[in-house]
Amino acid sequence: MRILTLLPVLAVAASGQTGPEILKKTAETYQSLKSYHFESQTVSESVSESNESRTRSSRISAAILPDRRRVESKGGSQAALRVYDGHTVWEFRPGANQFARLLSQLPQ
């Protein structure tokens, strides 16, 4: 795992770009996207003398810009699905068995 973490660092060092240059280029790339699909997974561990726990959660964020978006969180008590269609926000929280529909404009 450490080797995989070092590869991006070595690639950046070899390119000669500074941190601000990389951030600017990344921002420009993200601003020009017509659509995206990102997935992430988080594992949290907590250890004490009397207790040990591990939680795993995942998040999917996808969009067809400018007005179609979907965010899904799984794992834990905060699991939810939120969908924007440009006019309405639909949200479902399975843990609480709650459903909501809000008429709204997308945040810019």
Side-chain angles (χ1 to χ4, degrees):
M1 185 62 158
R2 289 184 183 147
I3 292 173
L4 293 177
T5 304
L6 289 175
L7 289 177
V9 173
L10 294 174
V12 168
S15 73
Q17 293 180 312
T18 66
E21 290 170 339
I22 293 167
L23 291 174
K24 182 180 178 188
K25 187 171 182 176
T26 301
E28 290 169 355
T29 299
Y30 281 17
Q31 289 173 353
S32 67
L33 292 177
K34 305 277 189 257
S35 65
Y36 62 81
H37 182 109
F38 299 111
E39 295 187 31
S40 65
Q41 187 172 48
T42 304
V43 177
S44 300
E45 294 182 354
S46 175
V47 178
S48 68
E49 290 181 17
S50 61
N51 192 19
E52 186 174 321
S53 67
R54 173 186 258 184
T55 59
R56 186 178 301 238
S57 62
S58 64
R59 182 178 173 104
I60 299 170
S61 181
I64 300 173
L65 299 174
D67 60 358
R68 309 259 191 249
R69 300 177 190 195
R70 173 189 168 103
V71 177
E72 183 175 2
S73 301
K74 295 180 181 178
S77 61
Q78 300 300 318
L81 172 62
R82 180 177 276 198
V83 178
Y84 306 94
D85 66 6
H87 302 286
T88 306
V89 177
W90 303 86
E91 186 166 332
F92 175 61
R93 296 190 176 271
N97 199 26
Q98 295 176 335
F99 173 82
R101 180 183 76 133
L102 304 166
L103 298 177
S104 175
Q105 293 294 325
L106 279 176
Q108 297 298 323

